[in-house]
Amino acid sequence: KKWDKMSSRKELAGVRIDICSLREALHKIEHYIQEDGLHAVEAVSMKTVVTAGEEEEVRQCLEDIDLVIPSDKEILMELGVTSHKWLEEAREHRFASEALRNIARDRHSIYLLTDTRAQMDELCSFLDHTYGDVARICGDAVWEECEEDTEQIVNEINAVAPHLLLVMLPTPQQEIFLAQHRKMLNVRLWFGVGTENTFTEKKKKTAGLCKRLLARRKMKRQIQSYEAEGEEKVN
């Protein structure tokens, strides 16, 4: 596939990240959803990078995912990406919204999994307002209402066998759920978007800025710690 030649895989604090244009990423999504077997895609936040640096199970899960796309422009900046267009696309979470637009347009079935009922309501409102009747929602589950009965959630998903499983769970819950149940899930595409700065919500300027500054500081500390450990091993 010609888009594979243009993409690159990088590492940030030991965490694998895929760097590619929005167009390339959407091509890959289109390819995955047409293939048999489960492919996994995740849009990772700064919090995900920090958690993966601290927890081996999360880091390994990201290593096994087919496509790991940064959902925060700060991750791209740390990796040396300077393209204003790419940084703006990450800031606006265009990857998630455009991927869903294409999936809805192609009439692929979608199953929703969120952490809370409030998140599910917000997600359904967003999907209805943005894609209307075009989005084929075939089922949904709320983690807190299932009392963390993951077997029940997996059974309900498999009963409808959706093309897309859209997952909005916090890190590391999201990655651990995938790692533990990937072989059991009867879906074409796992799409993890997390709960950090999601595409469904309008940014709250002041509170959002403070939260992002704190997240970036934590990520920078994680990077420095990883690099220091690497230097110690070399010496």
Side-chain angles (χ1 to χ4, degrees):
K1 305 292 186 292
K2 65 181 180 181
W3 59 82
D4 287 332
K5 297 175 185 174
M6 300 167 66
S7 57
S8 65
R9 181 167 291 185
K10 293 185 180 287
E11 205 176 84
L12 186 64
V15 180
R16 164 279 184 96
I17 305 285
D18 292 303
I19 304 298
C20 60
S21 70
L22 177 62
R23 187 178 177 184
E24 293 169 73
L26 294 176
H27 270 307
K28 291 189 178 189
I29 291 271
E30 192 178 329
H31 173 67
Y32 294 154
I33 209 161
Q34 290 173 358
E35 281 199 332
D36 290 332
L38 185 148
H39 286 279
V41 173
E42 183 157 336
V44 297
S45 65
M46 290 183 280
K47 182 181 178 183
T48 315
V49 172
V50 172
T51 306
E54 297 169 345
E55 300 191 27
E56 175 62 25
E57 189 172 6
V58 176
R59 191 199 64 75
Q60 187 56 57
C61 177
L62 293 178
E63 189 67 34
D64 294 337
I65 284 177
D66 298 275
L67 186 63
V68 179
I69 296 291
S71 67
D72 286 330
K73 69 174 185 177
E74 290 85 353
I75 297 174
L76 288 172
M77 291 164 68
E78 289 293 339
L79 290 168
V81 173
T82 57
S83 165
H84 177 73
K85 183 172 182 286
W86 286 24
L87 294 174
E88 197 64 13
E89 286 171 353
R91 187 183 71 81
E92 295 176 354
H93 308 290
R94 288 274 306 284
F95 172 57
S97 58
E98 291 295 325
L100 278 174
R101 185 183 301 281
N102 290 353
I103 286 161
R105 180 201 64 204
D106 294 337
R107 305 295 289 161
H108 294 305
S109 57
I110 305 169
Y111 192 99
L112 311 175
L113 173 58
T114 64
D115 189 36
T116 68
R117 173 53 59 187
Q119 287 167 351
M120 180 64 75
D121 290 344
E122 184 179 17
L123 176 59
C124 288
S125 175
F126 169 82
L127 293 173
D128 184 54
H129 180 262
T130 311
Y131 312 116
D133 294 336
V134 178
R136 286 182 57 209
I137 309 303
C138 63
D140 62 73
V142 175
W143 186 275
E144 65 177 7
E145 293 175 5
C146 296
E147 298 179 346
E148 301 184 15
D149 184 349
T150 54
E151 188 175 323
Q152 177 194 336
I153 295 171
V154 170
N155 288 341
E156 288 183 7
I157 293 167
N158 289 346
V160 292
H163 289 99
L164 174 75
L165 173 58
L166 181 63
V167 186
M168 289 179 64
L169 297 177
T171 294
Q173 193 174 309
Q174 180 168 276
E175 293 78 18
I176 290 171
F177 178 67
L178 174 60
Q180 292 178 347
H181 300 94
R182 182 168 186 161
K183 292 179 180 176
M184 307 171 204
L185 286 165
N186 184 19
V187 303
R188 292 283 182 87
L189 180 67
W190 157 287
F191 191 9
V193 295
T195 57
E196 293 289 307
N197 303 309
T198 71
F199 59 95
T200 61
E201 60 189 25
K202 300 286 185 187
K203 284 191 171 43
K204 298 174 184 67
K205 296 252 174 167
T206 310
L209 179 60
C210 293
K211 191 176 179 183
R212 294 181 73 77
L213 287 172
L214 182 61
R216 188 173 189 187
R217 198 170 297 141
K218 286 181 179 178
M219 184 174 71
K220 278 188 169 291
R221 279 204 300 266
Q222 185 69 46
I223 294 166
Q224 290 165 356
S225 173
Y226 179 81
E227 289 173 350
E229 284 178 19
E231 287 175 10
E232 283 178 17
K233 287 175 183 175
V234 171
N235 298 329

